[in-house]
Amino acid sequence: MLIQNKEDLLLLFQTDGWIMDILKTVKTLELPDWWVCAGFVRSKIWDTLHGYRERTPLADVDVIFFDPAEVDEGYEKELELRLQQLAPTIPWSVKNEARMHLVNDIPPYTSSEDAISKFPETATGLGLKLDVWDQVIVTTPWGLEDVLEMNIKPTPLFQSSPELAAIYEKRIVQKNLKSKWPQVTVFHT
């Protein structure tokens, strides 16, 4: 499938039963400002662009939400448990972005989309969720160019200091995305 724009992406996700099941499962939690994001979204795009018939295995399915009133990490673990009961074969990871700035030692996020814009790589700064009619909504704070051209580049935040640039570079080595998707191009800080 050729993916050239946001409409092509929406069709790609909307016609994937597995992705739709995951989104519908997360939607049942009724979390504020929720998204399924990062590698879950990028991997589907790059698998498609590489012509893979089978999905590249995921370390986890990242679910984020934004709730300043519920910043206890234990609540996130409760949500993961609920999701595991609903879909036990999925490696769920749930994070409240209202507290994640503390973990990352950066200024507070204003929303989940703000948090997505501050992920380390532009091609991973993507999110999906469902509207009230179960239509896919996609957020792409850095646009689609890098993910569609299979470029791994640091977001501006991860270029803003030597410490964050080092985190980006370490992730590039650890994730070794080029071994999974050989057509990607890695850009360094």
Side-chain angles (χ1 to χ4, degrees), residues 71-90:
V71 293
D72 179 14
E73 187 177 0
Y75 180 60
E76 296 165 10
K77 298 302 176 198
E78 289 174 29
L79 293 170
E80 283 178 7
L81 255 158
R82 287 173 55 193
L83 288 171
Q84 285 170 357
Q85 290 167 346
L86 294 168
T89 61
I90 305 299

Side-chain angles (χ1 to χ4, degrees), residues 5 12 25 29 32 45 51-52 62 68 80 85 101 113 118 124 127 142 145 152 158 166 177:
N5 53 43
L12 177 71
T25 300
L29 297 179
I45 297 168
Y52 294 170
D62 292 299
E80 283 178 7
Q85 290 167 346
H101 68 283
E113 286 184 274
K118 293 181 174 95
T124 305
W142 298 110
E145 184 177 330
I152 302 171
F158 281 80
L177 298 175

Side-chain angles (χ1 to χ4, degrees), residues 30-31 34 42 65 76 92 100 104 116 129-130 151 178-179:
E30 298 179 353
L31 296 169
W34 69 273
R42 182 211 57 231
F65 65 103
E76 296 165 10
W92 299 104
M100 291 308 293
N104 298 324
I116 290 170
K129 68 178 175 179
L130 298 176
N151 293 327
K178 196 158 178 65
S179 70

Side-chain angles (χ1 to χ4, degrees), residues 13-26:
F13 299 127
Q14 194 82 34
T15 57
D16 186 310
W18 184 73
I19 286 176
M20 290 302 293
D21 286 346
I22 286 174
L23 294 174
K24 287 175 183 176
T25 300
V26 175

